[in-house]
Amino acid sequence: MLYGILAAASALLLTAVLSATVRVPALRLGIVERRRGRRVPLLGGVAVMGGVGAVAWVGEWSGVAPLGREAGWLIVVGAGLGVFGLIGDVWRLPAVVRAAGVVVGAAMVVPYRELGVLGGMVGVVWIALVVHGFKGMGRSDGVLGVVGAVTAFALSGCAAAEVMDGLATLFSVLAAALTGFLMHNWPPARVVLGTCGALFVGFLLAGGVLHVYAVGYGAGVGAPFALTAVATADAVLVLVSRKRAGRELWRGGPDHLAHRLRRIGLTPPGAVVVMGVAAAGSTGVGLAIHMLWTEPRTAWWVAGVTGLVVLGMLFVPPGTAGPSPTAARPAPTGIHRPRPTGVHRPTMPRPVPTGAH
């Protein structure tokens, strides 16, 4: 208990310090994204990965809180995806390549022994869907930090109830790290997670849910769905709306749930609060189902509300996609053209024809 409190506090403080530290290098190297006319550094994911990885490594190395096989392999593959996302932040990997990387990572952590081959394939698809839901929330200031911290906290309780100490420690550390990151990511954000952090956080949460319920609980899909209902709603909303509009499914744009909430009049902090309250409600139901405080059929209420939200948000027009955050500026040519001064010079009168040929 004491180590868990100390680990969470360390992750919070370390991630907060790292988030402030990476701002200047990101700005100088041009690893930025434009949000509402501001240049925001994209290296927040490096700070979160560093905070979580450092605290988890100390626990493993000291033997005080060993991660175990499931949690250890999950964080290794998640870190690999985070590095893959960092490459995408710097050099703009195609969306299909990023999606393929998530699928490969999911196939590496699915517990096939408990789920079987067919169940494992379904698990891979489910992880990919949820990861892209969390990744989409990273496009709005503060949203992924709040929703991810709430989900990680609830998932830590579920893992602790199943005596899966490694996973419980990992998710409590992740929740604390995201809280420290929010000190710099609350709207207007001074640093954002980028693809690196979004893939890392989303993959740990989606893979962790699957492990807890396949290895430890194994009683239906109601609680896992409730724990990830907000991310699932965002992913389904984006896929359906893009399909209806004839757009490419994996092309980014301001058409996620938080963007549409702002379109109906919410401020950026207001959208974060609404998303956080929704995550707290849905994850609370998932935790209550897992702890046997309520019946599994309670998850149908979460599914119904999620379906109504997706259906309603389909009628809210998305925003207009802006330029690529890393689009190159035209190179200077060295030719300087004078700006117009507003003074109009009189034109010389033309000579009047005399009629002589």
Side-chain angles (χ1 to χ4, degrees):
M1 180 67 178
L2 180 60
Y3 175 79
I5 297 174
L6 180 61
S10 301
L12 188 151
L13 295 175
L14 180 59
T15 306
V17 172
L18 289 176
S19 298
T21 305
V22 299
R23 290 189 70 251
V24 174
L27 289 171
R28 289 183 176 177
L29 295 174
I31 309 175
V32 298
E33 181 178 80
R34 287 201 171 271
R35 294 194 176 183
R36 293 185 292 277
R38 299 184 301 113
R39 297 171 71 244
V40 187
L42 280 171
L43 293 184
V46 175
V48 173
M49 285 177 55
V52 173
V55 174
W57 178 81
V58 169
E60 180 74 23
W61 171 77
S62 64
V64 177
L67 292 177
R69 184 178 63 86
E70 292 87 1
W73 184 236
L74 187 64
I75 196 172
V76 167
V77 178
L81 271 181
V83 173
F84 185 69
L86 179 61
I87 295 173
D89 287 331
V90 177
W91 286 291
R92 300 295 295 171
L93 293 175
V96 176
V97 176
R98 295 197 303 266
V102 174
V103 171
V104 171
M108 295 173 67
V109 300
V110 167
Y112 296 99
R113 183 189 310 173
E114 290 78 12
L115 298 178
V117 177
L118 181 59
M121 294 174 63
V122 174
V124 169
V125 175
W126 183 81
I127 288 178
L129 178 69
V130 174
V131 167
H132 281 88
F134 279 113
K135 179 179 176 297
M137 287 188 287
R139 296 181 61 86
S140 299
D141 296 353
V143 174
L144 180 53
V146 169
V147 175
V150 170
T151 306
F153 181 77
L155 188 54
S156 176
C158 295
E162 295 297 332
V163 200
M164 304 175 76
D165 296 333
L167 286 173
T169 301
L170 174 60
F171 292 120
S172 63
V173 168
L174 177 61
L178 288 173
T179 303
F181 170 71
L182 275 171
M183 297 179 183
H184 304 274
N185 188 241
W186 188 262
R190 296 186 296 277
V191 63
V192 296
L193 285 171
T195 306
C196 168
L199 290 182
F200 177 72
V201 172
F203 187 80
L204 287 189
L205 293 174
V209 170
L210 196 65
H211 270 283
V212 168
Y213 284 92
V215 179
Y217 191 60
V221 298
F225 169 75
L227 284 169
T228 58
V230 175
T232 303
D234 190 88
V236 172
L237 172 65
V238 168
L239 291 176
V240 172
S241 63
R242 291 178 184 176
K243 183 67 175 178
R244 292 177 59 195
R247 294 180 53 201
E248 297 179 4
L249 296 181
W250 302 110
R251 186 184 181 117
D255 53 356
H256 294 271
L257 186 55
H259 297 131
R260 295 174 192 260
L261 287 174
R262 294 205 300 268
R263 293 281 291 179
I264 63 176
L266 269 67
T267 62
V272 175
V273 171
V274 169
M275 298 282 284
V277 170
S282 64
T283 57
V285 171
L287 180 61
I289 294 173
H290 185 88
M291 302 297 290
L292 303 180
W293 297 335
T294 185
E295 296 292 330
R297 62 174 178 266
T298 309
W300 284 106
W301 289 97
V302 179
V305 172
T306 301
L308 289 176
V309 169
V310 171
L311 183 62
M313 286 297 165
L314 285 174
F315 294 96
V316 178
T320 304
S324 173
T326 56
R329 297 183 179 180
T333 60
I335 301 175
H336 301 281
R337 297 181 179 180
R339 297 182 179 178
T341 59
V343 179
H344 301 280
R345 297 181 179 179
T347 56
M348 297 296 294
R350 296 181 180 179
V352 179
T354 58
H357 298 284

